[in-house]
Amino acid sequence: MVLVTGGAGYIGSHTAVALHEAGFMPVLVDNLHNSKASAVDGVRAIVGEDIPFEAVDICDKAALEALFGRHDFVGVLHFAAHKAVGESMAKPAMYAANNVGGLGVLLEVASAHDLDNIVFSSSCTVYGEPEDMPVAESAPFQRAESPYGWTKQACERVLEDHAAARGAAHVALLRYFNPIGAHPSANIGELPLGVPNNLIPFLTQAVSGIRKALTVFGGDYATPDGTCIRDYLHVMDLAEAHVAALQWCLDQPDDQSVIRPFNLGTGKGASVLEVIQGFERATGQKVPYTMGERREGDVVAIWADPSRAANELGWRTTRSLDTSLADAWRWQEKLNQEGSN
Ligand code: NAD
Ligand code: UFG
């Protein structure tokens, strides 16, 4: 069994499907702070099996201890965290307590049960505004722009120190670029609570008429069309990377600690305007948008050098930007039908 913390969330739920497809049984653990139990039902509908779900807060040590008593885990995929950059500016202590504190509690309980295969959700935010493009894992960290970004840097450091102290921990630090899209069945997808901060959920809600128009944050950057560039990857590609990373952990020598960061992206950047055009091409829907001011804290352009993940995990993305956008739209249409926005 594989412990999936944050398993009812966006990336955790898709990864549960990929794990099951690969023959692992995920145990989904979530306090439903930023998700709904319906995501677990969605996973069950896709895989056709009763995937275990445990409503546990990972900061609750006693509850985690009890969880480890009920299941025998071969590895943990640790997604559970708060992830809103803006909210983290207003509530830095809450982000430190949940993201860094939560990891600490999890590691204490996991090591007491000799669970040493750990896959951690990090982010390309650790690089800040990189000097060289595409960005490789060797690029230095910049001072984090937000408390959220700092928690990812801090957690990587906690895991490094933990691995050194344990002597037999196998840790994959997965630095995600921009995951988008949904499972093609539209049984699961991204469920933003309130007004979305991220581009794709805002865009699909704008197309649905839930929001007036998408504001493109800045059209005067030093990029070919003046808008910011990101590396958008399909969430199912990202999900499959976690299976590869778990297998990589399981393949490491038992008597040695190994910790390694991996960039997870397509290796290609797309501007905000290219995403809008791609969405219109992929779905036939018109995107209502206006050009607006720059958003504070935005990196101008970042995309991954994903060659380490290709060489060492045997993973690469297989789904195109248009496929990702079409899947995001299919999911939004389902939410619209259900009236769940
Ligand atoms: P999400 O909010 O959809 O999922 C996170 C889940 O963790 C939620 O279901 C939430 O309820 C749960 N959770 C939070 N704190 C918890 C706690 N103390 N105990 C138990 N459950 C808790 O977010 P996501 O997009 O699926 O992100 C998953 C991970 O990937 C996070 O660590 C996030 O920081 C990281 N990440 C996400 C992105 C992105 O663009 N989505 C990019 C880089 C990194
Ligand atoms: N954007 C708009 N309008 C919007 C929303 C976004 O133009 O309404 C633009 C942004 O300026 C940016 C691009 O779309 O250029 C992508 O923005 P997102 O908010 O979707 O993604 P970010 O790259 O800003 O943020 C993501 C994750 C964060 C993480 C960060 C690291 O969501 O968790 O990458 O760079 F910290």
Side-chain angles (χ1 to χ4, degrees):
M1 293 202 153
V2 177
L3 171 56
V4 183
T5 75
Y10 174 45
I11 307 170
S13 58
H14 289 80
T15 301
V17 172
L19 281 169
H20 189 271
E21 264 169 26
F24 292 103
M25 179 54 87
V27 176
L28 307 183
V29 170
D30 206 298
N31 65 357
L32 303 179
H33 175 88
N34 195 41
S35 51
K36 293 183 180 161
S38 58
V40 179
D41 298 332
V43 173
R44 290 174 178 155
I46 294 169
V47 306
E49 206 176 328
D50 195 17
I51 303 295
F53 170 70
E54 302 261 9
V56 166
D57 188 315
I58 55 139
C59 297
D60 181 342
K61 195 171 180 184
L64 262 194
E65 284 283 1
L67 176 83
F68 274 73
R70 290 194 291 276
H71 304 281
D72 194 13
F73 299 120
V74 295
V76 52
L77 309 191
H78 181 43
F79 296 97
H82 297 324
K83 66 159 183 177
V85 173
E87 184 187 52
S88 79
M89 308 268 196
K91 299 176 179 172
M94 183 177 110
Y95 272 66
N98 195 57
N99 294 9
V100 186
L103 174 67
V105 175
L106 175 67
L107 292 179
E108 278 195 290
V109 177
S111 43
H113 290 81
D114 287 325
L115 182 65
D116 278 311
N117 297 307
I118 304 162
V119 177
F120 176 69
S121 299
S122 189
S123 165
C124 68
T125 195
V126 298
Y127 299 121
E129 184 85 59
E131 280 176 13
D132 298 313
M133 251 347 148
V135 66
E137 290 85 352
S138 55
F141 285 9
Q142 309 281 351
R143 186 184 151 81
E145 288 261 3
S146 69
Y148 166 74
W150 174 81
T151 67
K152 292 298 169 192
Q153 294 182 345
C155 284
E156 287 204 11
R157 175 62 195 268
V158 168
L159 282 160
E160 223 176 274
D161 294 344
H162 175 76
R166 279 292 286 172
H170 312 134
V171 184
L173 305 170
L174 302 186
R175 295 179 182 158
Y176 313 157
F177 283 67
N178 289 55
I180 60 167
H183 191 270
S185 68
N187 278 303
I188 50 173
E190 192 167 6
L191 256 190
L193 305 177
V195 182
N197 297 306
N198 297 117
L199 177 61
I200 302 307
F202 199 105
L203 184 157
T204 58
Q205 290 194 6
V207 173
S208 306
I210 300 163
R211 311 280 158 211
K212 230 170 124 207
L214 170 72
T215 304
V216 176
F217 295 145
D220 57 352
Y221 285 104
T223 58
D225 66 17
T227 64
C228 289
I229 296 175
R230 296 287 183 277
D231 187 337
Y232 298 95
L233 76 162
H234 196 292
V235 67
M236 284 310 299
D237 277 330
L238 182 60
E240 288 163 11
H242 289 77
V243 179
L246 174 63
Q247 197 54 59
W248 175 88
C249 289
L250 294 168
D251 290 343
Q252 298 307 309
D254 280 344
D255 56 351
Q256 206 176 303
S257 273
V258 186
I259 177 162
R260 195 119 170 104
F262 296 97
N263 282 342
L264 300 179
T266 64
K268 287 196 284 287
S271 72
V272 179
L273 290 178
E274 283 171 338
V275 169
I276 292 172
Q277 287 152 11
F279 186 87
E280 293 185 341
R281 192 170 54 231
T283 66
Q285 301 288 323
K286 198 99 197 96
V287 179
Y289 74 90
T290 55
M291 299 305 294
E293 296 296 308
R294 293 179 174 193
R295 180 170 70 176
E296 207 189 323
D298 261 344
V299 163
V300 181
I302 185 165
W303 64 94
D305 172 354
S307 50
R308 180 183 288 180
N311 295 335
E312 298 181 24
L313 302 179
W315 172 87
R316 50 177 54 78
T317 58
T318 61
R319 296 152 178 98
S320 69
L321 179 61
D322 284 17
T323 299
S324 309
L325 294 167
D327 287 343
W329 178 238
R330 193 176 302 112
W331 166 246
Q332 180 67 53
E333 282 188 299
K334 174 154 183 248
L335 293 178
N336 294 346
Q337 277 162 17
E338 290 172 351
S340 25
N341 277 298

